[in-house]
Amino acid sequence: MSAEYSALSTQYFFMAEQIQLEVVTPERRVLSGTVDAVYVPGVGGELGILPGHTPLISQLQTGVLSYTVGERTYRLHVSGGFVEVNRDRVSVMAEVAERPEEIDAARARLAHERAEKTLSAWSGTEEDFEKARARLERSMVRLQLSTGENLTR
Amino acid sequence: MANLLDIRRRIKSVKNTQQITRAMKMMSAARLKRAQDRVVAARPFASKMLEVMGDLAARTDEEFRHPLLNARGDERYLLILITADRGLCGAFNTNLIKAAQAFINENAGKQFEVLPIGRKGRDFFRRRSMDIVKEYIGLTGKGSVGFGEAVSIADDIIKRFTEDETMDKVFIIYNEFKSVLQQRVVIEQLLPVSGTTERIEEDEATRAVDMTDYIYEQEPAEIFSRLLPRVVETQIFRALLESVASEHGARMTAMDSASKNAGELIASLTLNMNRIRQAAITNEIIEVVSGAAAL
């Protein structure tokens, strides 16, 4: 028991150089691997996570999650859910997570136009408005990721 | 004694049936693979979710109250029964319905309302003229269940539960996928979300070393109350996936044995037919021989 304990505590002192990143959605595991840095869209703002980060839990908002491996940066569209950081393990539990190549740009554009139309001619409850706004936001991020267009004004 | 023509007709009809059962078996086998993969794919999220919930529950105030957590009375139950839309899958639906009936009988004093998912369960409750609050048909039949569908069911149930203070508990009955040959009927309490307290105690013991202090970007209570509906959604989603996989497994096994039985039946009928044919031929020969002898 004591040996086990000391093994665990040494792990604490020698901080890993890399992070274990895991992105899961209810339907599948999107990503699982070792990365150098992760940037997640938290509700309170962008969170940059490097090796040795303090344990943290935050809610996520719709946006772009990016992570770097060596010189390369990869990006994912995430929406909703939580992020947990614990001992160089970053677990992202998102409601939606997609790689740019999985996004259907044409569909995203359609969704974007539709969402814009409903919002510009608004006549509904507040709750529905929030939903429509969330849809618009999602379609914007997806479009941006799949085509490189920037729609934020 | 049956005549030749009858037996031939019979063989033909059995053959036709066998073709159908064989095709159904093959279809189920293909769908089973996909359904099974989805069950496996959904597991990491569910387990991560429960892990974080356990962590959070340990850190939120004792006084923290949430409508989905609070224990209420013990009078009115809502029963969610996930069955298949179609039959021909062995004892799959029967077992579920039996379990539901047993559960209702055990809690005879309670007031029951039901929410069937799947046609077979709906039909059963309707025959029993039970109080059906809502039904979801055609969801499990089409071979794949999306998370979105699970979310809308969960939202509906959560809404019913939070708006109606006299609704005390929500249970869910479904078939859990153990293996292709085995399904297990499980009854779980969905609401109020339970098991947190026990799990926390257990967790505290097992990972006393791991009690890291988290930074909470939002208040733990706030994250917790965001997390709870997600937990219910995930639970329903998992139940649906398990049920779909079990259904295909059950159908595959049932259709496999049906095809085998049909094969046996055909063999014995063919034997019978040949015997009768041979008897007729022998008869004719005797007639010819004795006719010749008489001349």
Side-chain angles (χ1 to χ4, degrees):
Chain A
M1 180 66 213
S2 66
E4 215 173 283
Y5 186 83
S6 64
L8 274 174
S9 47
T10 40
Q11 245 178 28
Y12 253 123
F13 293 120
F14 295 99
M15 278 184 295
E17 303 283 288
Q18 285 189 311
I19 304 174
Q20 281 293 326
L21 173 67
E22 195 175 10
V23 180
V24 289
T25 69
E27 308 211 354
R28 67 203 172 115
R29 175 185 273 132
V30 182
L31 184 85
S32 175
T34 316
V35 303
D36 294 320
V38 189
Y39 304 91
V40 295
V43 164
E46 175 107 339
L47 294 165
I49 299 157
L50 293 170
H53 198 283
T54 6
L56 168 143
I57 290 181
S58 171
Q59 292 179 44
L60 292 179
Q61 67 174 5
T62 304
V64 178
L65 176 150
S66 56
Y67 58 95
T68 55
V69 181
E71 294 292 296
R72 288 203 60 182
T73 302
Y74 301 85
R75 309 203 297 167
L76 289 176
H77 160 228
V78 292
S79 179
F82 307 88
V83 59
E84 184 201 25
V85 184
N86 191 5
R87 263 207 232 142
D88 292 322
R89 289 182 52 89
V90 177
S91 321
V92 176
M93 291 152 274
E95 268 151 54
V96 185
E98 299 163 297
R99 297 163 193 276
E101 61 267 24
E102 287 166 351
I103 298 173
D104 182 343
R107 251 190 67 197
R109 191 180 304 280
L110 262 172
H112 179 247
E113 280 162 16
R114 213 172 329 122
E116 243 179 7
K117 215 176 277 171
T118 30
L119 277 180
S120 57
W122 187 250
S123 62
T125 61
E126 189 126 340
E127 198 181 324
D128 287 339
F129 183 81
E130 273 308 305
K131 272 187 196 155
R133 207 184 52 77
R135 266 204 298 277
L136 179 70
E137 215 171 290
R138 248 195 319 271
S139 66
M140 261 158 55
V141 173
R142 299 179 76 222
L143 205 50
Q144 193 186 326
L145 263 189
S146 59
T147 61
E149 273 175 63
N150 195 351
L151 293 153
T152 31
R153 281 166 291 195
Chain B
M1 205 176 207
N3 72 45
L4 267 180
L5 210 62
D6 283 343
I7 295 183
R8 279 222 183 88
R9 216 176 273 148
R10 186 85 203 281
I11 290 178
K12 214 176 148 199
S13 105
V14 174
K15 264 191 185 147
N16 282 339
T17 312
Q18 192 189 28
Q19 244 162 24
I20 295 169
T21 56
R22 216 185 262 147
M24 282 181 76
K25 179 197 151 192
M26 246 121 65
M27 244 164 68
S28 293
R31 289 194 178 159
L32 172 69
K33 182 75 190 63
R34 269 207 319 246
Q36 222 174 323
D37 290 345
R38 286 170 60 94
V39 171
V40 174
R43 270 180 197 151
F45 186 85
S47 57
K48 233 12 290 168
M49 201 82 159
L50 290 176
E51 204 184 300
V52 173
M53 193 176 82
D55 279 342
L56 275 168
R59 265 161 265 259
T60 37
D61 282 337
E62 290 280 302
E63 290 93 69
F64 178 69
R65 284 279 167 266
H66 188 274
L68 297 183
L69 274 181
N70 292 356
R72 299 178 177 179
D74 202 19
E75 289 301 311
R76 247 177 96 208
Y77 290 176
L78 176 67
L79 194 62
I80 302 162
L81 178 66
I82 306 181
T83 57
D85 276 344
R86 291 179 299 161
L88 290 182
C89 44
F92 181 84
N93 292 310
T94 329
N95 285 344
L96 283 167
I97 287 168
K98 258 192 213 151
Q101 188 60 54
F103 184 73
I104 292 171
N105 290 344
E106 270 167 40
N107 300 284
K110 320 284 193 245
Q111 203 182 325
F112 271 100
E113 273 158 48
V114 290
L115 192 152
I117 301 175
R119 183 171 287 124
K120 289 287 168 185
R122 195 262 325 255
D123 292 349
F124 169 75
F125 287 133
R126 200 179 263 175
R127 271 199 300 280
R128 291 287 163 121
S129 56
M130 291 198 57
D131 198 353
I132 299 176
V133 292
K134 187 157 188 180
E135 57 185 51
Y136 292 91
I137 308 289
L139 198 70
T140 51
K142 61 178 165 31
S144 66
V145 189
F147 185 63
E149 286 158 328
V151 169
S152 60
I153 295 176
D155 285 351
D156 180 48
I157 291 162
I158 289 171
K159 210 170 140 212
R160 274 172 208 287
F161 187 75
T162 43
E163 280 174 6
D164 187 355
E165 291 280 330
T166 59
M167 181 65 68
D168 294 319
K169 283 177 184 173
V170 181
F171 290 92
I172 185 164
I173 302 185
Y174 64 96
N175 259 324
E176 191 185 54
F177 183 82
K178 293 204 75 175
S179 72
V180 178
L181 294 170
Q182 250 191 324
Q183 297 88 38
R184 196 167 64 95
V185 176
V186 283
I187 303 179
E188 279 170 7
Q189 182 176 326
L190 196 65
L191 288 170
V193 176
S194 68
T196 36
T197 37
E198 295 125 68
R199 199 177 299 117
I200 297 155
E201 276 158 38
E202 191 185 300
D203 270 11
E204 254 164 357
T206 48
R207 38 172 159 150
V209 229
D210 198 9
M211 275 306 246
T212 19
D213 264 319
Y214 283 95
I215 296 176
Y216 291 95
E217 280 284 302
Q218 290 80 36
E219 281 296 301
E222 194 202 320
I223 299 182
F224 200 37
S225 49
R226 285 277 175 138
L227 194 69
L228 280 172
R230 296 291 99 75
V231 171
V232 178
E233 283 162 11
T234 322
Q235 216 172 337
I236 288 178
F237 183 56
R238 214 199 52 158
L240 285 172
L241 288 183
E242 297 262 359
S243 179
V244 170
S246 306
E247 183 191 333
H248 291 314
R251 180 162 296 125
M252 197 180 98
T253 337
M255 288 301 111
D256 186 46
S257 56
S259 305
K260 266 194 205 123
N261 286 346
E264 274 167 33
L265 200 57
I266 288 169
S268 85
L269 280 172
T270 315
L271 186 67
N272 213 338
M273 185 185 78
N274 286 339
R275 234 180 237 149
I276 291 171
R277 191 170 50 97
Q278 201 58 55
I281 291 167
T282 317
N283 243 340
E284 268 172 42
I285 292 173
I286 290 172
E287 269 166 30
V288 170
V289 169
S290 48
L295 284 175

